[in-house]
């Protein structure tokens, strides 16, 4: 019970202090909008919104979650308020779950911003919502834990951002978000299969446009495995470096 | 008193090749104010971090309130409060929200934690300030709120790392009073400081720590008693020269003479001193004497004698000053 109170308070504090602050909320809206606009300008012709929707959703989650952890973890660690949490009578597992749950929820919400916009412009019938939602949730969990992994590997906020981009930008091009994996140079294709977002994007493509190319159970399992591995490694790093 | 509440046994902490704490063993008794006194870089913070679970000892064992302080640290943390050397609450949250949040980390219910936060704000004279964001607090108020956060769950033991360093004199005085009040209500206090006067005024027992080693742990009274064996007489003269001191040592073989400043010398004697011969001596040398004072030993004298370190080193503040 007391662990639950602590968990809930940490989550609520992060929400109030970080996630629901205007700059961060707008981040979730401006990013997908500008991304859509960019694709529109580049192709010179009206884009097929439904075609790019899975990619925009996946990117919104990826950028939203990873940027938040640079604040909720790296920044708090730098200002030493994180020590309070480490010194509280809460297990480290629960503490890190509390610190990441906010980012996961934020990622899920971010994913539905472009969906909301799209719903005003095009017909969204025929989407397999349950699968789409599960896909969104799993992408959010995986990229949050990727953000956690990055956040515990650095000590400055700018390092966290730089290190995140090291993962994020390749993912934008290699994970089949806008360029199908099959049209990538043969040399790069194996790399795509090493990145978790490839599997997440495929779930979204399948559930929205029925044009995924991987079996859904495989994609779900790979995302779960990535999440577990990233969380475990991050926790080990925290135990080693922060409780030094 | 009498019951041991903290026991450190052979604590060691290495950072690579560097030994920050070396084989530290000491006990703290329930109900006392225990002070860890040492210069900057002595290993005080590292020791507190090991006792509270922020650092893992390289070797050694810890017992806190009967629990294994390494293996069952989460259980121990429920009963201890920690005030770090930097006021590290959340800058954008109000004083009140900060306290309520800290209370929730210890599993306190909403109504209970809000009542407790209000009570502590009032007790610490922060009732009005408590509504402002933490970043708008003065240094002294920040430190007080950080202490309030440390005792939000009414812990049995409170750790304070340099509670008055970098704080204005008045706030420091209030903080010492708060610490004494808390102790009066039964909280065991473990504090670190590099201010000798603070240790002397506040602590029942002190541990001297220098370069990672705990050199001596004892009650203030016993430390002073050893020192009390000697009599100190400070003479203020018109002036003095090495030749004069030389002549004094020959005239009074049982005393030691040392220079305090260009006008003052100190005589150290194992027995009570009769003044007349000294006055006569200075008169013969035609040196006016303005003042003679019997000086009681201070903890400073004890510290210097036992640790052999210069007092200047102890008083040196950390470079990059803290918040
Ligand atoms: N994480 C660390 N890595 C390396 N050296 C450290 C670390 N923490 C402390 N030290 C060193 O250990 C020594 C003791 O530090 P500390 O416990 O902070 O001293 P104090 O609190 O008495 O001023 C210092 O020389 C300090 O530089
Ligand atoms: Mg220190």
């Amino acid at each position: 019970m007391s662990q639950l109170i602590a968990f809930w308070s940490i989550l609520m504090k992060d929400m109030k202090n970080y996630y629901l602050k205007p700059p961060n909320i707008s981040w979730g809206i401006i990013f997908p909008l500008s991304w859509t606009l960019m694709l529109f300008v580049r192709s010179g012709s009206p884009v097929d919104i439904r075609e790019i929707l899975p990619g925009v959703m996946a990117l919104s989650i990826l950028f939203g979650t990873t940027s938040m952890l640079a604040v909720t973890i790296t920044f708090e660690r730098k200002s030493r308020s994180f020590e309070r949490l480490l010194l509280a009578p809460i297990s480290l597992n629960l503490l890190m779950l509390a610190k990441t749950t906010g980012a996961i929820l934020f990622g899920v919400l971010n994913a539905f911003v472009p969906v909301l916009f799209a719903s005003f412009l095009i017909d969204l019938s025929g989407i397999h919502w349950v699968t789409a939602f599960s896909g969104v949730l799993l992408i959010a969990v995986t990229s949050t834990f990727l953000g956690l992994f990055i956040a515990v590997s650095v000590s400055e906020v700018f390092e966290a951002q730089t290190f995140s981009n090291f993962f994020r930008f390749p993912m934008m091009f290699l994970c089949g978000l806008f360029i199908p994996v099959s049209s990538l140079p043969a040399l790069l294709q194996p790399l795509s299969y090493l990145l978790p977002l490839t599997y997440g994007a495929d779930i979204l493509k399948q559930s929205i446009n029925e044009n995924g190319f991987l079996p859904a159970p495989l994609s779900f399992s790979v995302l779960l495995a990535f999440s577990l591995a990233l969380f475990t490694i991050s926790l080990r790093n925290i135990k080693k470096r922060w409780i030094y | 008193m009498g019951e041991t509440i903290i026991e450190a046994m052979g604590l060691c902490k290495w950072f690579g090749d560097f030994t920050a704490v070396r084989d530290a063993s000491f006990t703290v008794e329930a109900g006392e104010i225990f002070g860890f006194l040492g210069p900057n870089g002595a290993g005080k913070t590292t020791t507190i971090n090991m006792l509270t679970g922020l650092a893992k000892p390289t070797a050694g064992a810890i017992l806190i309130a009967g629990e294994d302080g390494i293996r069952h640290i989460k259980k121990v943390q429920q009963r201890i409060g920690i005030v770090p050397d930097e006021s590290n609450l959340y800058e954008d949250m109000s004083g009140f929200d900060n306290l309520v949040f800290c209370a929730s980390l210890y599993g306190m219910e909403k109504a209970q934690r809000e009542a407790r936060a209000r009570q502590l704000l009032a007790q610490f004279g922060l009732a009005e300030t408590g509504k402002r964001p933490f970043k708008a607090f003065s240094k002294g108020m920040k430190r007080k709120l950080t202490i309030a956060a440390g005792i939000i769950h009414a812990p049995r033991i409170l750790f304070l790392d340099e509670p008055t360093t970098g704080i204005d004199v008045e706030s420091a005085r209030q903080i010492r009073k708060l610490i004494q009040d808390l102790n009066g209500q039964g909280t065991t206090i473990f504090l670190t400081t590099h201010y000798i006067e603070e240790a002397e005024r506040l602590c029942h027992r002190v541990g001297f720590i220098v370069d990672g080693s705990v050199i001596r742990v004892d009650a203030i009274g016993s430390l002073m008693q050893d020192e009390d064996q000697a009599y100190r007489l400070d003479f203020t003269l018109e002036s003095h020269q090495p030749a004069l001191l030389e002549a004094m040592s020959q005239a009074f073989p049982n005393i030691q003479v040392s220079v305090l400043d260009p006008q003052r010398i100190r005589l150290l004697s194992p027995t009570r001193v009769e003044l007349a011969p000294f006055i006569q001596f200075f008169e013969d040398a035609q040196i006016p004497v303005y003042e003679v004072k019997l000086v009681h030993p201070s903890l400073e004298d004890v510290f210097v004698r036992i640790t052999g370190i210069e007092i200047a080193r102890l008083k040196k503040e950390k470079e990059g000053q803290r918040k």
Side-chain angles (χ1 to χ4, degrees):
Chain A
M1 185 59 202
S2 68
Q3 299 267 310
L4 216 65
I5 291 175
F7 176 91
W8 184 248
S9 297
I10 294 169
L11 179 57
M12 285 299 128
K13 176 192 74 69
D14 281 358
M15 293 262 210
K16 222 167 101 187
N17 283 300
Y18 307 121
Y19 297 102
L20 300 180
K21 286 270 164 78
N24 296 320
I25 294 191
S26 60
W27 170 255
I29 296 166
I30 288 166
F31 183 77
L33 269 184
S34 48
W35 189 251
T36 314
L37 206 69
M38 194 181 105
L39 286 173
F40 179 76
V41 171
R42 253 198 45 183
S43 67
S45 58
V47 273
D48 185 344
I49 290 176
R50 184 145 176 171
E51 201 54 44
I52 65 162
L53 191 57
V56 175
M57 288 169 75
L59 270 192
S60 301
I61 305 172
L62 180 66
F63 276 75
T65 50
T66 45
S67 331
M68 287 322 295
L69 285 165
V71 180
T72 60
I73 298 192
T74 313
F75 173 74
E76 281 198 2
R77 163 105 178 113
K78 180 95 185 131
S79 69
R80 291 189 52 187
S81 53
F82 201 83
E83 280 175 19
R84 291 198 166 271
L85 306 177
L86 291 173
L87 288 170
I90 325 162
S91 80
L92 197 58
N93 277 322
L94 192 78
L95 168 62
M96 294 325 288
L97 281 178
K99 290 300 282 180
T100 47
T101 301
I104 293 171
L105 294 177
F106 185 68
V108 171
L109 282 177
N110 267 1
F112 287 98
V113 175
V115 176
L116 192 72
F117 282 120
S119 70
F120 295 124
L121 303 170
I122 55 165
D123 176 23
L124 287 180
S125 61
I127 293 180
H128 204 293
W129 288 111
V130 176
T131 319
F133 187 82
S134 320
V136 163
L137 187 65
L138 262 183
I139 298 173
V141 172
T142 315
S143 40
T144 297
F145 290 168
L146 175 67
L148 175 66
F149 171 75
I150 293 166
V152 301
S153 310
V154 299
S155 48
E156 303 281 346
V157 175
F158 80 90
E159 287 175 334
Q161 299 292 15
T162 314
F163 196 17
S164 299
N165 287 337
F166 177 77
F167 286 96
R168 292 189 293 208
F169 284 99
M171 283 197 195
M172 280 168 71
F173 301 105
L174 293 177
C175 294
L177 302 181
F178 307 103
I179 314 158
V181 173
S182 54
S183 19
L184 287 174
L187 256 167
L188 289 180
Q189 288 192 21
L191 223 60
S192 302
Y193 292 101
L194 291 177
L195 297 170
L197 201 61
T198 303
Y199 303 89
D202 199 72
I203 297 174
L204 295 184
K205 283 177 148 183
Q206 180 61 31
S207 58
I208 293 171
N209 297 317
E210 299 201 339
N211 61 353
F213 68 103
L214 296 165
L218 171 75
S219 296
F220 277 108
S221 318
V222 172
L223 284 179
L224 271 176
F226 262 105
S227 303
L228 227 94
L230 284 167
F231 189 73
T232 314
I233 297 171
S234 303
L235 235 72
R236 218 198 45 195
N237 283 345
I238 292 172
K239 276 187 196 144
K240 213 165 61 192
R241 298 207 186 124
W242 293 0
I243 306 174
Y244 52 85
Chain B
M1 292 213 196
E3 176 209 352
T4 296
I5 196 160
I6 300 174
E7 185 166 13
M9 290 158 278
L11 280 189
C12 291
K13 183 67 187 178
W14 302 343
F15 294 112
D17 289 343
F18 179 75
T19 309
V21 175
R22 182 178 301 123
D23 196 22
S25 299
F26 56 89
T27 58
V28 177
E29 284 167 18
E32 74 175 348
I33 302 183
F34 181 88
F36 234 33
L37 180 63
N40 275 313
K44 302 183 296 293
T45 299
T46 306
T47 306
I48 281 212
N49 285 349
M50 288 193 281
L51 294 175
T52 56
L54 204 58
K56 288 189 265 308
T58 311
I62 300 168
L63 261 166
I64 295 183
E67 297 281 351
D68 183 330
I70 295 171
R71 213 161 328 143
H72 301 140
I73 184 64
K74 289 292 154 192
K75 211 162 162 189
V76 170
Q77 282 168 345
Q78 186 73 44
R79 298 180 205 169
I80 62 176
I82 301 139
V83 182
D85 58 353
E86 249 177 51
S87 300
N88 66 344
L89 287 159
Y90 298 91
E91 296 278 333
D92 292 321
M93 282 162 64
S94 72
F96 179 75
D97 286 348
N98 261 301
L99 291 187
V100 170
F101 174 70
C102 290
S104 73
L105 294 178
Y106 295 89
M108 288 164 71
E109 304 278 351
K110 190 166 193 291
Q112 190 192 1
R113 54 188 191 243
E114 288 183 352
R116 175 76 172 152
R118 247 176 242 117
Q119 177 220 328
L120 284 175
L121 284 175
Q123 184 187 335
F124 282 40
L126 295 170
E128 269 314 301
T129 350
K131 293 170 194 154
R132 286 191 239 154
F134 187 62
K135 63 181 168 211
F137 280 38
S138 73
K139 265 190 197 175
M141 295 191 304
K142 276 190 175 179
R143 184 56 49 82
K144 279 191 244 170
L145 194 75
T146 310
I147 295 175
I151 56 166
I152 195 83
H153 56 301
R156 273 189 76 189
I157 310 168
L158 181 65
F159 291 88
L160 300 121
D161 197 0
E162 308 223 12
T164 60
T165 300
I167 301 293
D168 63 277
V169 178
E170 175 56 17
S171 299
R173 195 189 58 76
Q174 292 170 1
I175 286 169
R176 279 193 290 271
K177 174 84 170 46
L178 280 171
I179 293 172
Q180 276 168 331
D181 290 348
L182 275 171
N183 179 249
Q185 290 152 23
T187 311
T188 305
I189 308 279
F190 182 111
L191 63 84
T192 72
T193 183
H194 66 266
Y195 296 131
I196 291 200
E197 311 77 37
E198 179 163 285
E200 188 173 351
R201 235 181 295 171
L202 213 50
C203 301
H204 303 122
R205 288 196 315 136
V206 290
F208 292 158
I209 179 168
V210 178
D211 294 332
S213 299
V214 179
I215 292 178
R216 172 99 183 251
V217 181
D218 217 332
I220 298 269
S222 337
L223 289 167
M224 296 296 206
Q225 214 164 31
D226 292 356
E227 212 62 19
D228 264 339
Q229 306 301 324
Y231 289 81
R232 293 167 184 71
L233 276 176
D234 286 0
F235 279 76
T236 306
L237 310 170
E238 174 72 33
S239 67
H240 57 74
Q241 264 124 35
L244 176 83
L245 303 184
E246 186 62 29
M248 276 188 83
S249 298
Q250 276 169 17
F252 308 99
N254 279 335
I255 60 136
Q256 269 177 28
V257 188
S258 56
V259 173
L260 295 175
D261 60 42
Q263 289 206 298
R264 292 191 307 143
I265 57 171
R266 171 170 292 184
L267 309 190
L268 207 62
S269 158
T271 53
R272 251 168 93 164
V273 182
E274 201 189 331
L275 281 180
F278 290 95
I279 302 292
Q280 187 64 52
F281 176 87
F282 289 120
E283 205 174 293
D284 292 348
Q286 295 192 319
I287 295 174
V289 178
Y290 296 121
E291 192 181 329
V292 183
K293 204 159 57 180
L294 180 65
V295 180
H296 291 285
S298 68
L299 192 60
E300 189 167 303
D301 300 310
V302 184
F303 186 86
V304 170
R305 186 175 54 77
I306 292 179
T307 64
I309 74 166
E310 293 159 37
I311 216 68
R313 193 179 140 203
L314 190 67
K315 289 191 170 153
K316 208 165 86 188
E317 295 265 341
K318 220 176 290 186
E319 272 99 64
Q321 260 307 316
R322 58 207 209 142
K323 294 185 211 173

